[in-house]
Amino acid sequence: MRQLNVAIIGCGTVGGGVWQALRRNQDLLEKRAGIRLRVSCIVVKDPDKKRFVRLPKRLVGSDWKVAVDDPKTDLVVELVGGVATARKVVEKALGLGKPVVTANKALLAAHGDSLFEKAKNRQTGLYFEASVAGGIPIVKVLREGLLANRFPRIYGILNGTCNYILSRMQEEGEDFSSILAEAQLNGYAESDASLDVNGLDALHKTAILASLAHGFWVSPGDIHVEGIRHVTNLDIGFADRLGYRIKLLSSILSRKQDRDVTEIQATVCPTLVPYNHGLADIDGVFNAINVHGDIVGETLYCGQGAGAEATASAVLSDIAAAALDSLKLADGTAEPTAPCSGCQWQPFTALTQNGKVIAWEDVVSKFYLRLTVTDAPGTMAQIANVLAENTIGISSIIQPEGHESSSVPLILMIHDASVRAMNQALKRIRNLSVVKAAPVMIRVDHFQ
Amino acid sequence: MRQLNVAIIGCGTVGGGVWQALRRNQDLLEKRAGIRLRVSCIVVKDPDKKRFVRLPKRLVGSDWKVAVDDPKTDLVVELVGGVATARKVVEKALGLGKPVVTANKALLAAHGDSLFEKAKNRQTGLYFEASVAGGIPIVKVLREGLLANRFPRIYGILNGTCNYILSRMQEEGEDFSSILAEAQLNGYAESDASLDVNGLDALHKTAILASLAHGFWVSPGDIHVEGIRHVTNLDIGFADRLGYRIKLLSSILSRKQDRDVTEIQATVCPTLVPYNHGLADIDGVFNAINVHGDIVGETLYCGQGAGAEATASAVLSDIAAAALDSLKLADGTAEPTAPCSGCQWQPFTALTQNGKVIAWEDVVSKFYLRLTVTDAPGTMAQIANVLAENTIGISSIIQPEGHESSSVPLILMIHDASVRAMNQALKRIRNLSVVKAAPVMIRVDHFQ
């Protein structure tokens, strides 16, 4: 059995998880892949730091350059996180023609195009199963399992922290900040949770999935993103009365596809999901991806989207794939039909030169609208007039009774309208004297 | 771009679906895989038969031997179905060193061991994604995506026809035979549905998944199977009152694993699934597989398990994989680390020589028991005594009131007990004079 030497750069949560999982199942993994895997080096910032795993002293290094450069290193596993150092690590390894496994969604979303280009030029591979949805092998499913399909619709719950917070808000009736604080205490949220709750983590994953599915490089900057900070208990409660749950939903919809240009709609935002849809049931830290293929129909993939172990499962699967590809390259038997990555399936940028994400303003959707209004005659008429003038239809209204204060909530469910029309109407509505606070607008998706 | 010539043997539902899907997405598939695919021949029993797809006359042949033998044929896709002819087709192709793609679960369950052995000896590949759970790429997920995991628990709803019938029985309150007749009318069940409703189709898929997950050849003959014919509305109703739905459930549980022998429990039978478990929500013709990996944790995969299109999606993915592997073999660059199948991942029989499925009698489970008894003093005492003598505990009892007849149903929920103990007790219970009909025993699973 041939052997591959693996340098692991970074040993935080994910790196520690990979080391532990490898300790547990190395025999099995080697038998299944038919390759001997040897961790030759684990690079950490501070070798003396206490960690949740014990690392053999002889393997621990503190200079990633030495580890990557080492001629004995066949494969580099980048688990540094962040963008700055991680980018240098990956670029250096690829520059040396060494394959790289990474779980780094932020890095790929920011610099994936140039990194994949570099891998292609150096005839080596960049593997990233762990970068989206943790333990769910969604990259493999899209790239290989559903290879024969176009993807008219992909929906995802891609951030476990947000999903945990929203689930708990729904169950407990407590507000965002107290649930967040509790989640931070028990380890379900980072101490700096802004990447998660502002939607950026989900955004990075959405950009990667969109690129994979549609064959052009989708930049995160082109995707509309909203986090969950503005989702209140009031909204969760009204949504519930209307038959919906609020989820931070990624959606990637195919809009137009012809020879010249592929147009998609890609968004990450809190969304009202009907109770009877499978994604409404995905609770807590779980991730789920609902993939519509034009041949296969609707499919659903669900599992833990983060955490040391789930992510380690994906990293190890990629290490095995990279190891196999890499041995082929070492033999000079690189697959000539897939010149770009050293792996047998074309990377996602191989398909289309021209792709485009439609602007948020042009997105057409149903909406949930919560206004804070004066409980006085004529209020509804004024609001309804503004909506009518912007050709926006109302599908249902809730105005709860029994409020003593002069300001009451008014919930409007809006028929399909463009974001542009909604923004125009809301600008005018906000200026009405009967409207007492900034309107709250949340997307509604019926998955049709 | 290099070209591969594909002979499709058999053009029924699946073959027609593959042809149509290839017509629709051939460009995309070729771009993604980086290979040109050319269907060189479609072999059918009767070239003049009317079919739901139009086949180009020049491609249609009627002699599979000629097509497989043809030196121009690079890849054989066996979609004949059944075991007799299909086996000959696959053996001949593998014998010639030609890779084979098949959707044939019955063939693999019956002769997979010798067919994989043949593929190994001839250094070619046998691809079978489409044989389990239609469009859900579960074979790829288990073999590659979750490569680093052991699989303590796998549960599946693997037969769409049974799931459709049970879902409709639950919704409509109608009995098995009328729902089956309706399903046959509208095409959700074959005119001869016995393979489905007797559980054999699910059995074949379960044998394949168990072999994949545990690395030894699991024969269908070693797996306990019950169909759904004996599931009545009465049982569905009582299960509902107790908080369960009845599903035809495949379960593959790891029982003991050491150097010498791997012991698993594998069963296919109607099972009470608690409402709060994800599998209880899988309705209609959908399939779902719940996979517990020791590293990744719990994951769920869901999609259409049968039908022309879903199955075609899997067949095309396998054609692309086989094509890529096959070009490597043609170059003499077969991956030396995976000598067994021509594909880069070891086939599932590579791991363990000694594996064993524990006998049904030794299975320990909770059970639902429905007895038909005389509504007279002492009845419960007699039954409870027999159970107690066999050390079987009762966790709850329903004896519905209001029956006028002398015979009434008595529902007992049984704590963990072995099938052996249950059978012994039921033999005695059946002979009690207060018991008026054969007892009904259905497994209960709490997925713990």
Side-chain angles (χ1 to χ4, degrees):
Chain A
M1 210 186 275
R2 293 200 286 173
Q3 176 175 306
L4 216 91
N5 298 314
V6 180
I8 298 177
I9 317 295
C11 197
T13 305
V14 176
V18 169
W19 173 253
Q20 278 189 319
L22 199 54
R23 297 272 299 185
R24 188 180 339 153
N25 284 355
Q26 182 154 9
D27 279 9
L28 182 81
L29 186 62
E30 291 183 339
K31 270 195 218 159
R32 284 184 180 162
I35 283 184
R36 181 152 296 141
L37 296 170
R38 182 176 153 264
V39 174
S40 53
C41 184
I42 304 171
V43 176
V44 298
K45 237 193 283 183
D46 174 6
D48 298 321
K49 186 179 152 190
K50 282 240 168 213
R51 340 185 152 261
F52 73 101
V53 290
R54 276 174 71 110
L55 304 176
K57 274 217 166 131
R58 60 183 169 79
L59 293 186
V60 176
S62 61
D63 188 337
W64 64 262
K65 289 194 195 93
V66 173
V68 172
D69 251 336
D70 189 335
K72 287 203 302 294
T73 298
D74 301 309
L75 178 63
V76 173
V77 180
E78 182 279 302
L79 302 171
V80 175
V83 171
T85 308
R87 184 182 183 184
K88 290 182 202 154
V89 171
V90 175
E91 282 189 340
K92 185 168 181 65
L94 294 177
L96 292 166
K98 296 185 181 184
V100 173
V101 172
T102 180
N104 195 326
K105 60 225 77 172
L107 175 66
L108 291 181
H111 304 293
D113 47 354
S114 72
L115 295 176
F116 283 103
E117 188 67 22
K118 189 152 206 157
K120 176 181 165 179
N121 292 339
R122 294 307 314 249
Q123 289 267 312
T124 190
L126 178 52
Y127 303 82
F128 55 99
E129 181 65 73
S131 68
V132 186
I136 310 171
I138 190 65
V139 171
K140 190 173 280 288
V141 164
L142 284 181
R143 272 221 303 195
E144 304 175 25
L146 304 182
L147 173 84
N149 290 266
R150 289 175 211 282
F151 300 106
R153 296 190 288 285
I154 296 177
Y155 299 98
I157 293 176
L158 297 177
N159 184 273
T161 303
C162 288
N163 203 48
Y164 175 83
I165 293 172
L166 292 173
S167 301
R168 298 269 301 169
M169 284 173 74
Q170 171 111 23
E171 284 159 22
E172 317 284 320
E174 299 219 23
D175 66 7
F176 172 80
S177 49
S178 62
I179 300 282
L180 172 60
E182 189 215 293
Q184 284 168 325
L185 259 180
N186 59 27
Y188 289 126
E190 309 269 342
S191 54
D192 176 7
S194 55
L195 261 182
D196 292 312
V197 301
N198 293 347
L200 298 179
D201 174 79
L203 171 68
H204 296 151
K205 296 167 181 169
T206 306
I208 294 170
L209 287 185
S211 303
L212 260 175
H214 293 287
F216 68 97
W217 188 259
V218 177
S219 161
D222 293 336
I223 298 177
H224 172 77
V225 60
E226 290 168 46
I228 62 165
R229 284 186 195 278
H230 64 288
V231 176
T232 65
N233 263 303
L234 208 54
D235 297 311
I236 288 177
F238 282 122
D240 188 45
R241 281 176 61 177
L242 290 157
Y244 298 89
R245 301 192 69 168
I246 300 181
K247 296 287 179 189
L248 182 67
L249 192 76
S250 297
S251 70
I252 302 163
L253 312 178
S254 157
R255 281 296 174 237
K256 207 176 79 180
Q257 196 154 30
D258 56 38
R259 280 193 182 279
D260 299 325
V261 70
T262 297
E263 232 175 66
I264 66 166
Q265 174 181 321
T267 56
V268 179
C269 53
T271 304
L272 271 68
V273 176
Y275 269 129
N276 62 7
H277 193 272
L279 289 176
D281 296 328
I282 306 301
D283 275 334
V285 294
F286 276 81
N287 278 199
I289 304 118
N290 185 298
V291 179
H292 258 84
D294 67 339
I295 295 175
V296 76
E298 192 178 353
T299 59
L300 180 74
Y301 309 88
C302 178
Q304 286 173 54
E309 294 211 304
T311 311
S313 171
V315 169
L316 289 179
S317 160
D318 265 356
I319 288 178
L324 289 164
D325 287 339
S326 158
L327 286 184
K328 269 175 252 162
L329 287 169
D331 288 349
T333 60
E335 175 48 47
T337 56
C340 313
S341 74
C343 90
Q344 70 172 2
W345 308 90
Q346 298 274 4
F348 40 71
T349 47
L351 299 183
T352 313
Q353 299 306 316
N354 293 306
K356 192 185 146 195
V357 181
I358 69 170
W360 172 236
E361 290 249 298
D362 292 324
V363 166
V364 172
S365 175
K366 298 180 194 311
F367 292 96
Y368 159 100
L369 204 56
R370 176 168 58 81
L371 305 176
T372 308
V373 299
T374 310
D375 189 6
T379 298
M380 188 63 221
Q382 289 184 53
I383 292 161
N385 278 335
V386 176
L387 292 173
E389 281 159 24
N390 286 279
T391 0
I392 293 169
I394 301 168
S395 65
S396 68
I397 301 175
I398 305 183
Q399 182 164 359
E401 271 191 290
H403 284 258
E404 294 297 319
S405 64
S406 59
S407 287
V408 295
L410 172 66
I411 313 302
L412 303 169
M413 295 296 280
I414 303 293
H415 277 305
D416 277 343
S418 72
V419 171
R420 177 172 292 109
M422 289 298 291
N423 284 347
Q424 279 163 358
L426 287 183
K427 209 166 153 187
R428 287 186 50 202
I429 285 174
R430 193 165 183 173
N431 289 330
L432 295 175
S433 62
V434 296
V435 172
K436 297 301 179 194
V440 172
M441 172 175 111
I442 306 179
R443 272 191 76 186
V444 178
D445 208 317
H446 283 183
F447 303 94
Q448 279 152 357
Chain B
M1 207 185 275
R2 293 199 286 171
Q3 176 175 307
L4 214 90
N5 298 313
V6 180
I8 298 177
I9 317 294
C11 197
T13 304
V14 176
V18 168
W19 174 253
Q20 278 189 320
L22 198 55
R23 299 270 299 183
R24 191 186 327 159
N25 285 356
Q26 182 153 11
D27 279 10
L28 181 82
L29 186 63
E30 290 182 341
K31 271 195 217 158
R32 285 183 178 162
I35 282 184
R36 182 152 294 140
L37 296 170
R38 181 175 154 266
V39 174
S40 53
C41 183
I42 304 172
V43 176
V44 298
K45 237 192 282 182
D46 174 5
D48 299 320
K49 186 180 153 189
K50 283 241 168 212
R51 347 189 144 256
F52 73 101
V53 290
R54 275 174 72 111
L55 305 176
K57 274 220 167 128
R58 62 185 167 78
L59 293 185
V60 176
S62 62
D63 188 337
W64 65 263
K65 290 192 194 99
V66 173
V68 172
D69 251 336
D70 188 336
K72 288 203 301 294
T73 299
D74 301 309
L75 179 62
V76 173
V77 180
E78 182 279 303
L79 301 171
V80 175
V83 172
T85 307
R87 184 183 183 184
K88 290 182 202 155
V89 171
V90 175
E91 284 191 339
K92 185 171 181 63
L94 294 176
L96 292 165
K98 297 185 180 184
V100 173
V101 172
T102 181
N104 196 328
K105 59 225 77 168
L107 175 67
L108 291 180
H111 303 294
D113 48 354
S114 71
L115 295 176
F116 284 103
E117 187 66 23
K118 189 152 207 157
K120 175 181 168 180
N121 291 338
R122 293 307 313 247
Q123 289 266 314
T124 190
L126 178 51
Y127 302 83
F128 55 99
E129 181 65 74
S131 68
V132 186
I136 309 169
I138 189 66
V139 170
K140 190 173 279 292
V141 164
L142 284 181
R143 271 222 301 197
E144 304 176 23
L146 304 181
L147 174 83
N149 291 265
R150 289 174 212 280
F151 301 106
R153 296 189 290 284
I154 296 176
Y155 298 98
I157 293 176
L158 298 176
N159 183 276
T161 302
C162 288
N163 203 49
Y164 175 84
I165 292 172
L166 292 173
S167 302
R168 298 271 299 170
M169 284 173 74
Q170 172 113 22
E171 286 159 20
E172 317 284 320
E174 298 218 24
D175 66 7
F176 172 78
S177 49
S178 63
I179 299 283
L180 172 59
E182 189 214 292
Q184 284 169 324
L185 259 180
N186 60 26
Y188 289 125
E190 309 268 343
S191 55
D192 175 8
S194 55
L195 260 181
D196 293 311
V197 299
N198 293 347
L200 297 179
D201 175 80
L203 171 68
H204 296 151
K205 296 166 180 168
T206 306
I208 294 169
L209 286 184
S211 303
L212 260 175
H214 294 287
F216 68 95
W217 189 260
V218 177
S219 161
D222 292 337
I223 298 176
H224 172 76
V225 59
E226 291 168 46
I228 62 166
R229 285 188 194 276
H230 64 287
V231 176
T232 65
N233 263 304
L234 207 56
D235 298 311
I236 289 177
F238 282 122
D240 188 46
R241 281 175 63 175
L242 291 158
Y244 298 89
R245 300 191 69 168
I246 300 181
K247 295 288 182 189
L248 182 67
L249 191 76
S250 298
S251 72
I252 302 164
L253 311 178
S254 155
R255 282 294 171 238
K256 207 176 77 182
Q257 196 155 28
D258 56 38
R259 279 193 184 278
D260 299 324
V261 70
T262 296
E263 231 176 65
I264 66 167
Q265 174 181 322
T267 55
V268 179
C269 53
T271 303
L272 271 68
V273 176
Y275 269 130
N276 62 5
H277 192 272
L279 289 177
D281 296 329
I282 306 301
D283 274 335
V285 294
F286 277 81
N287 279 197
I289 304 118
N290 185 297
V291 179
H292 259 85
D294 67 338
I295 295 175
V296 77
E298 191 178 354
T299 59
L300 179 74
Y301 309 87
C302 177
Q304 285 174 55
E309 294 211 306
T311 311
S313 171
V315 169
L316 289 178
S317 160
D318 266 356
I319 288 177
L324 290 163
D325 288 337
S326 159
L327 286 182
K328 270 176 253 161
L329 286 170
D331 287 349
T333 61
E335 174 48 47
T337 56
C340 312
S341 74
C343 91
Q344 72 173 1
W345 308 89
Q346 298 275 6
F348 41 74
T349 47
L351 300 183
T352 313
Q353 298 307 316
N354 292 308
K356 190 185 146 195
V357 180
I358 69 169
W360 172 236
E361 289 251 298
D362 293 325
V363 166
V364 171
S365 174
K366 298 179 193 311
F367 293 95
Y368 159 100
L369 202 57
R370 176 168 58 80
L371 305 176
T372 307
V373 299
T374 310
D375 189 5
T379 298
M380 189 61 220
Q382 289 184 53
I383 292 161
N385 277 335
V386 175
L387 292 173
E389 282 159 25
N390 287 279
T391 0
I392 293 169
I394 302 169
S395 64
S396 68
I397 300 175
I398 306 183
Q399 181 164 0
E401 272 192 288
H403 284 258
E404 294 297 320
S405 64
S406 58
S407 286
V408 296
L410 171 66
I411 313 302
L412 303 169
M413 295 296 279
I414 302 295
H415 277 307
D416 276 343
S418 72
V419 171
R420 177 172 293 109
M422 288 299 290
N423 283 347
Q424 279 164 0
L426 287 183
K427 208 166 151 187
R428 285 186 52 201
I429 286 174
R430 195 167 181 173
N431 288 330
L432 295 175
S433 62
V434 296
V435 172
K436 295 303 180 193
V440 172
M441 172 176 112
I442 306 179
R443 272 192 77 182
V444 178
D445 208 316
H446 284 182
F447 302 95
Q448 281 154 354

